[in-house]
Amino acid sequence: MATLDEARQLALALPETSERVSYGTPAFFAGKILFARLQDNFEILAVKMPFDERDVRMTSQPALFFVTPHYLNWPMVLVHLERIETDELAEILTGAWRVAATKRMLKAFEADRPAS
């Protein structure tokens, strides 16, 4: 299961990502755009995600992904860190980073990835 330190390491490994404080907790930004933020208890990570993907993940894995009333109208999902595998967290954070990244950042990211 993922830890706070693993979440931080995965997020900061993405290009042009910085860690800053947002609402009193660590948060991760792609350039100037927030893509993930720890909740006050440091056990839940709020992650940027399109609504359609969020709905699929919450339906297929309700013990892992959820929202509170605050996040209903925001393209974010809440993730239980202690329940998610590190490789799935890496996938989720990369997806969130992609949503927040600029076109220039995405182009550079794709250029640096090996061809499949």
Side-chain angles (χ1 to χ4, degrees):
M1 303 307 152
T3 66
L4 167 60
D5 288 336
E6 289 170 324
R8 174 178 281 122
Q9 183 179 30
L10 291 167
L12 293 174
L14 295 162
E16 299 185 50
T17 294
S18 62
E19 180 178 342
R20 301 192 292 261
V21 173
S22 178
Y23 298 100
T25 62
F28 304 98
F29 293 78
K32 296 179 180 181
I33 307 296
L34 175 90
F35 71 92
R37 183 180 84 80
L38 284 159
Q39 299 296 288
D40 293 335
N41 64 9
F42 291 84
E43 296 173 1
I44 306 292
L45 187 66
V47 180
K48 189 173 279 284
M49 183 178 287
F51 289 110
D52 57 340
E53 181 182 351
R54 176 180 90 172
D55 293 344
V56 168
R57 288 191 183 271
M58 287 190 329
T59 300
S60 65
Q61 295 175 286
L64 184 56
F65 299 101
F66 69 104
V67 293
T68 59
H70 174 79
Y71 287 100
L72 281 177
N73 297 316
W74 292 93
M76 304 282 282
V77 69
L78 299 172
V79 180
H80 288 283
L81 282 177
E82 75 279 358
R83 297 181 187 168
I84 192 167
E85 297 293 334
T86 305
D87 58 337
E88 187 172 10
L89 180 59
E91 174 190 324
I92 297 297
L93 286 170
T94 300
W97 179 89
R98 286 176 178 276
V99 172
T102 64
K103 289 179 184 177
R104 178 193 57 77
M105 291 164 65
L106 288 169
K107 186 176 179 180
F109 182 68
E110 290 304 322
D112 287 344
R113 294 177 66 97
S116 299

